[in-house]
Amino acid sequence: MSEKEIVIRSIKDLLTPKMLKYSIVPFVLSLVVLYIVFFIIASMGVEQLGTLSVESSQTTLQSGVPHTESFNATIVGSSIIKFLMHYAITSWLVTFFIYAIGTFLAIYFSIFLAVIIIGFLTPFVLAELQRRSYSDIAMIGHSNLLYSLFLLLKSTLIMVLLFILLIPFYFIPFLNIIALNLPMYYFFHKMLIFDISSSICTKEEAKEIAYFKASSLRTKTALLYLISLIPFAIFFVAIFFVIYLGHTYFLATRELRER
């Protein structure tokens, strides 16, 4: 089956009533979690910006005698923001950093959250896919809940470590785009491929597919990752990702078992 045919079939499968129902789950759950997280972070931010203490001292000589004058002030509540926003330069900088960092974190967190949520839905989506198109292929699988949680924790730690190690590249134009996205792409690719392969294949089949189709799989997950960078798009197309890669793995598994 050509790549074009896989994409067309994946879109048709996504538009079936059952798959559309599955598509609603990541969207609703993510909204609930993001809503809770937003208010937690907002509350923490207000507390941090609530009070700012300013201290300064100046020593002068008067008739040869040193005199030290100290100044203490406390900026309370929204006065800090008002102070910063009072000047054009600081106003622009504050606005830029709030939007840039906020957008960056929101997109990354949405991808991270959606990947975890669809991990729980993957077996159900693939079972429906098998019923519709691959009844001749048994879904053997090779994982369990404990190992899945271990891999999730391991992949998350590696992602965080990559974020830290790549800090020097964040300040280099063009390279910073790759450096900022590489850790999240690693997590995205690792978890999606694992969730799908561990539901369909044996461990040996998964290793063989990962070896012989490595370039194809990376290209596909890279394209899917680019789509997920559109703000909150992943909440609407997450199930499509599973369907699309599910077709890829079902076809590859059929090819292996027919040898």
Side-chain angles (χ1 to χ4, degrees):
M1 185 184 299
S2 67
E3 199 61 39
K4 181 180 178 180
E5 290 173 328
I6 294 176
V7 172
I8 293 173
R9 179 178 288 190
S10 298
I11 294 173
K12 288 181 179 178
D13 287 330
L14 177 65
L15 297 177
T16 59
K18 198 163 188 176
M19 293 300 190
L20 288 175
K21 289 179 182 178
Y22 287 139
S23 298
I24 296 174
V25 177
F27 176 69
V28 173
L29 289 180
S30 298
L31 279 183
V32 172
V33 174
L34 287 173
Y35 182 80
I36 295 171
V37 170
F38 170 78
F39 279 101
I40 292 174
I41 294 177
S43 176
M44 292 171 60
V46 169
E47 290 177 3
Q48 291 297 320
L49 291 174
T51 304
L52 176 66
S53 297
V54 179
E55 297 181 5
S56 65
S57 62
Q58 183 177 8
T59 302
T60 59
L61 290 174
Q62 296 180 4
S63 301
V65 180
H67 291 272
T68 301
E69 296 180 354
S70 298
F71 172 78
N72 296 290
T74 301
I75 302 177
V76 182
S78 60
S79 300
I80 300 172
I81 297 299
K82 289 179 181 178
F83 173 77
L84 291 173
M85 299 299 284
H86 182 70
Y87 300 98
I89 295 178
T90 54
S91 173
W92 183 85
L93 287 174
V94 169
T95 304
F96 172 78
F97 280 114
I98 288 175
Y99 278 97
I101 296 174
T103 302
F104 174 80
L105 292 178
I107 292 175
Y108 273 42
F109 183 72
S110 65
I111 295 173
F112 179 81
L113 182 62
V115 169
I116 294 176
I117 292 174
I118 62 177
F120 292 99
L121 293 172
T122 295
F124 302 101
V125 174
L126 294 178
E128 177 64 14
L129 208 61
Q130 180 203 36
R131 186 189 68 79
R132 290 174 56 84
S133 307
Y134 304 101
S135 56
D136 58 313
I137 302 175
M139 291 177 58
I140 300 173
H142 63 273
S143 183
N144 54 61
L145 180 60
L146 187 61
Y147 182 75
S148 297
L149 292 174
F150 168 76
L151 186 67
L152 174 61
L153 179 60
K154 177 184 174 183
S155 299
T156 302
L157 290 175
I158 293 175
M159 177 182 68
V160 172
L161 182 61
L162 285 173
F163 270 122
I164 296 171
L165 292 176
L166 292 172
I167 287 176
F169 297 97
Y170 297 164
F171 306 97
I172 304 175
F174 301 110
L175 277 179
N176 57 5
I177 297 175
I178 299 174
L180 284 168
N181 285 285
L182 187 60
M184 182 55 73
Y185 170 69
Y186 165 84
F187 179 82
F188 179 87
H189 173 86
K190 192 78 174 179
M191 295 309 301
L192 265 184
I193 293 300
F194 170 77
D195 288 338
I196 294 168
S197 64
S198 64
S199 297
I200 300 174
C201 317
T202 64
K203 194 171 184 178
E204 291 71 24
E205 288 171 340
K207 287 181 178 179
E208 194 167 347
I209 293 172
Y211 179 78
F212 287 105
K213 296 186 179 294
S215 298
S216 174
L217 290 173
R218 288 195 187 97
T219 300
K220 291 181 179 184
T221 55
L223 290 173
L224 296 178
Y225 178 76
L226 289 176
I227 295 173
S228 69
L229 289 177
I230 301 172
F232 306 109
I234 193 170
F235 296 146
F236 301 97
V237 295
I239 297 301
F240 172 78
F241 293 175
V242 177
I243 295 171
Y244 176 58
L245 292 174
H247 277 299
T248 300
Y249 262 88
F250 271 120
L251 292 170
T253 303
R254 175 185 282 165
E255 184 181 330
L256 283 178
R257 294 178 185 177
E258 287 179 349
R259 288 182 181 176

